[in-house]
Amino acid sequence: MSEVEREERAARRKFFIFLLIVAIAVALVAIGPKVLDRYTVNILIRSFLYAVAVLTVDVLWGYTGILSFGQSAFFGIGAYAAGLMFTHIGFGPGEALAAIVLGIGVAMAAAWLVGWISFWQRATPFYVAVITLVLPIIVVQLLYSNPQKLTGSSSGLVGFSSFPLSVEGWFWIAGGLAIVFTAIAWQFVNSNFGKVLMAIRENEDRCRYLGINTTRIKTGLLMAGAAIAAIAGYCYAGFTVVVAPEIAGFVFGTELVIYTALGGRGTLIGPVIGAIIIDLTSAYLSGNLPFVWKLIVGSIFVAVIVLLPQGVAPIIARGARTIMGRFTAGVLGTKSSTPVQRLKPLERDASQVGFPMGAVPLRIEGLSRSYGSLRALSDINLEAQGSEIVSIVGPNGAGKTTLMRCISNGFEPTGGRVWVNGAEVGRISPHSVAELGVGRSFQNTSLFASLTVGECLRLARYRLERPSMFSYRTDLGLPEATLRILNATGLDAKLQDKVINLSHGLKRALELSVVLATEPTILLLDEPTAGLTKTERILIGEILVDLSERDGLCILLIEHDLDFVRSISSRIVVLHQGELLLDGTVDEVVNSDLVRAIYSGEQLTKDTEDV
């Protein structure tokens, strides 16, 4: 069987399982009101709507690493939009539409404000956790303290007119919402764009240096989650005809996080099922054991967290895969559900895209960087031309890596100015600098441990080829230089291997491949050949020289392999104690007594003479 046929069978199998699960869920929701007692049906309607809110927590926390306690506030905003509209204005088709539009709009506006406060350049995940923890408290206080008591204060709003639907109708609507949003979320996280979310969770800084606007993505995701939670809250108000401040409060927001943790965050199905089962169980326990039911639920939570830190979903999934795998293997003739990545050269030479002809690729004037009283860089002036490889050398602590940080991140310098391809960098984030054409590798390999080699390479193409949010492509076009490195190091045969399983040398080669896949016009390489064999270093040098001479790239290189530096460099810049000591040709620098004087010991002097 050919590789293409295996890919097609794997894709059909995965989609078949997806449709089968959806069909089973639809069937259960359809027959639910016919076989369940009325009390259970009523509780399940609420549970389905809670599950929709939990789904947003899982996409944010489980897939993107955004721990949000504020989904209850968005749920409450949607509910109160309906309650306020139907209580004070009345119920009708126009009012119903206005209420849901108002609820979604206010929830998304609140989410945008949270994102604006939480996701600024140097914010940590701690910010969004604290801010979303405070958000439900603020919303509840607003509900309590509004002057005209429009919200009913602590008593809430009760008995307003609502949709003339039966309990069975609400059951089908709530269950349908849970199925539809779960299916959409599943398709979303399994798309090419879904890998971007996981990359942000794994290594957000690296994403920024690849030109990915993580702030915009996280804020947009938070706003989408707020809209979905508001829809669930709107339906909750329409069904119960009761809205109270508790549904927007901190306790409910924490419960949504607990449901996600118990079900298994990052699994979608686990949190949804967990929310339904826990809420249904709690409803029965609260009636039969009113004084100890919270203790029982709390004990279960502690036991699961201690014994099953990933939740119960992985255990259920293993059993389901065993059963489903045997069945679908007989139907589709394959046991693989992972598409095989296919690499192909780009149909065009895009390395010059966006490169302004005649402009100086990189110009630095008076650049400085201080950490309190420590001055890491002082008055650096430097120009680098196209078709030039400039190597930056100097003893440890000279400021080499700091210089690269200041070029690639507009928030790093404390003084001076930097121009990239004729545009002044200013105070802009790394993703904006990357959009100007700067690609950077790091001194310590910076990749995505849980992603595969193929997924990392696709991620590098984000700025040039935006991934689809609801589909998965198996082919990937890459520049010729990237393909040469992949072929030479054998990474082209390891596209489905996770990065965490690669050797150090392969990780270094993959990082350089990822940087080149962004098609930069300026390359900032911090020890790119560390850990590679001599043959691989020679190959990397040939590729860098080829990129410089044929494509006109401007390359700044930090490297301690002096033979490598000598063989490919156009110029050498020497840094010492944060100052630019010398800028000249290879021979001028190698033969400089001043340069020799700053190095430590005779051995390094001998190495320099050998160069």
Side-chain angles (χ1 to χ4, degrees):
M1 183 185 301
S2 69
E3 182 178 306
V4 174
E5 290 175 335
R6 286 197 299 268
E7 291 174 5
E8 292 175 349
R9 284 176 176 262
R12 286 200 302 269
R13 176 182 181 271
K14 191 171 185 178
F15 188 66
F16 176 82
I17 295 175
F18 170 68
L19 291 180
L20 182 61
I21 294 174
V22 170
I24 293 172
V26 170
L28 291 175
V29 170
I31 66 175
K34 308 297 183 183
V35 298
L36 299 173
D37 61 85
R38 193 172 185 83
Y39 177 75
T40 302
V41 170
N42 275 275
I43 297 301
L44 281 175
I45 294 172
R46 183 185 69 183
S47 301
F48 288 150
L49 297 175
Y50 286 178
V52 173
V54 166
L55 192 66
T56 66
V57 176
D58 192 35
V59 173
L60 288 168
W61 184 30
Y63 286 89
T64 321
I66 304 171
L67 178 56
S68 172
F69 293 92
Q71 301 309 107
S72 60
F74 306 133
F75 186 93
I77 289 172
Y80 267 91
L84 289 169
M85 182 68 71
F86 300 160
T87 298
H88 299 291
I89 298 179
F91 177 81
E95 288 80 3
L97 179 61
I100 192 170
V101 170
L102 180 64
I104 292 174
V106 173
M108 291 182 72
W112 175 85
L113 182 61
V114 169
W116 182 72
I117 297 173
S118 304
F119 302 139
W120 54 284
Q121 172 64 24
R122 299 189 181 183
T124 66
F126 177 74
Y127 283 82
V128 68
V130 170
I131 291 169
T132 56
L133 199 62
V134 173
L135 178 64
I137 298 174
I138 295 174
V139 171
V140 169
Q141 288 303 312
L142 291 174
L143 295 175
Y144 280 152
S145 60
N146 60 94
Q148 285 77 32
K149 301 297 181 183
L150 295 175
T151 62
S153 190
S154 59
S155 301
L157 301 172
V158 182
F160 46 82
S161 299
S162 185
F163 299 92
L165 295 173
S166 64
V167 173
E168 290 79 6
W170 278 112
F171 185 91
W172 290 325
I173 289 174
L177 283 176
I179 293 171
V180 168
F181 281 124
T182 302
I184 292 174
W186 185 90
Q187 192 71 15
F188 176 64
V189 299
N190 284 283
S191 68
N192 289 139
F193 193 87
K195 304 305 178 184
V196 178
L197 306 185
M198 300 176 195
I200 292 174
R201 180 191 64 197
E202 288 284 329
N203 192 342
E204 185 174 355
D205 280 342
R206 190 14 138 184
C207 288
R208 289 179 176 141
Y209 285 99
L210 292 177
I212 300 174
N213 190 340
T214 60
T215 297
R216 180 181 297 172
I217 292 173
K218 293 193 296 183
T219 302
L221 199 63
L222 190 63
M223 292 173 67
I228 293 171
I231 292 172
Y234 176 87
C235 293
Y236 174 89
F239 165 64
T240 61
V241 199
V242 175
V243 290
E246 289 75 15
I247 63 172
F250 157 75
V251 174
F252 181 45
T254 304
E255 287 176 349
L256 295 178
V257 174
I258 291 174
Y259 294 161
T260 304
L262 288 176
R265 70 186 183 103
T267 61
L268 288 183
I269 301 296
V272 169
I273 295 176
I276 295 171
I277 293 176
I278 295 171
D279 185 57
L280 182 62
T281 303
S282 298
Y284 276 100
L285 288 177
S286 64
N288 298 327
L289 301 170
F291 301 107
V292 297
W293 72 276
K294 288 189 176 181
L295 177 62
I296 295 173
V297 173
S299 300
I300 294 173
F301 171 70
V302 172
V304 171
I305 293 300
V306 172
L307 301 176
L308 303 170
Q310 294 182 331
V312 299
I315 296 178
I316 298 174
R318 282 195 292 269
R321 275 197 298 268
T322 301
I323 299 172
M324 298 292 290
R326 291 173 182 171
F327 175 68
T328 54
V331 174
L332 301 174
T334 180
K335 294 184 179 181
S336 173
S337 61
T338 304
V340 178
Q341 203 86 2
R342 289 182 298 175
L343 302 181
K344 61 181 182 181
L346 291 174
E347 296 180 357
R348 56 184 178 82
D349 184 5
S351 62
Q352 296 282 349
V353 172
F355 187 78
M357 300 303 295
V360 176
L362 179 64
R363 183 157 60 96
I364 300 171
E365 289 185 1
L367 184 66
S368 62
R369 179 64 167 109
S370 299
Y371 299 93
S373 59
L374 175 64
R375 200 166 182 83
L377 290 176
S378 179
D379 195 28
I380 302 296
N381 295 282
L382 178 67
E383 280 193 5
Q385 304 291 334
S387 302
E388 186 175 33
I389 299 178
V390 180
S391 291
I392 304 172
V393 300
N396 291 334
K400 302 184 296 295
T401 299
T402 302
L403 176 60
M404 286 201 169
R405 283 203 301 268
C406 290
I407 296 171
S408 58
N409 185 351
F411 290 98
E412 282 288 338
T414 53
R417 305 168 76 182
V418 177
W419 287 266
V420 170
N421 292 328
E424 185 172 1
V425 171
R427 303 288 288 178
I428 60 176
S429 62
H431 86 266
S432 297
V433 178
E435 289 177 351
L436 295 175
V438 175
R440 179 189 172 194
S441 72
F442 290 81
Q443 186 175 18
N444 297 317
T445 306
S446 181
L447 290 166
F448 310 95
S450 68
L451 298 187
T452 66
V453 171
E455 288 166 351
C456 289
L457 292 168
R458 185 179 296 282
L459 196 69
R461 301 293 299 167
Y462 177 92
R463 181 174 62 88
L464 302 169
E465 302 173 14
R466 294 299 169 89
S468 170
M469 291 188 178
F470 296 102
S471 65
Y472 192 96
R473 291 178 53 192
T474 59
D475 61 324
L476 176 61
L478 293 173
E480 180 185 345
T482 300
L483 292 175
R484 285 181 63 189
I485 296 175
L486 296 175
N487 294 335
T489 58
L491 282 170
D492 58 334
K494 298 178 179 292
L495 296 175
Q496 298 305 324
D497 289 7
K498 290 187 179 294
V499 171
I500 194 173
N501 297 325
L502 299 179
S503 66
H504 174 72
L506 288 179
K507 288 178 182 177
R508 297 299 295 178
L510 176 59
E511 182 173 31
L512 179 56
S513 300
V514 165
V515 174
L516 291 176
T518 65
E519 299 182 16
T521 56
I522 299 174
L523 273 177
L524 307 179
L525 304 178
D526 200 340
E527 300 184 34
T529 64
L532 300 184
T533 66
K534 182 177 181 179
T535 302
E536 291 168 341
R537 289 199 300 271
I538 293 173
L539 173 69
I540 298 301
E542 291 174 351
I543 291 175
L544 295 181
V545 171
D546 186 60
L547 287 171
S548 173
E549 294 179 350
R550 189 188 68 177
D551 300 325
L553 264 66
C554 171
I555 301 174
L556 264 67
L557 173 72
I558 296 175
E559 185 57 70
H560 292 293
D561 183 342
L562 297 181
D563 288 330
F564 182 76
V565 169
R566 177 187 178 185
S567 64
I568 69 171
S569 299
S570 307
R571 291 159 50 204
I572 297 180
V573 172
V574 181
L575 293 182
H576 180 54
Q577 295 181 351
E579 297 182 352
L580 198 156
L581 188 67
L582 186 63
D583 180 353
T585 65
V586 174
D587 290 336
E588 289 174 345
V589 172
V590 167
N591 297 321
S592 170
D593 293 334
L594 183 61
V595 172
R596 296 182 183 184
I598 70 170
Y599 278 95
S600 56
E602 294 295 324
Q603 180 61 43
L604 187 52
T605 301
K606 181 179 182 299
D607 289 342
T608 305
E609 291 173 347
D610 291 339
V611 173

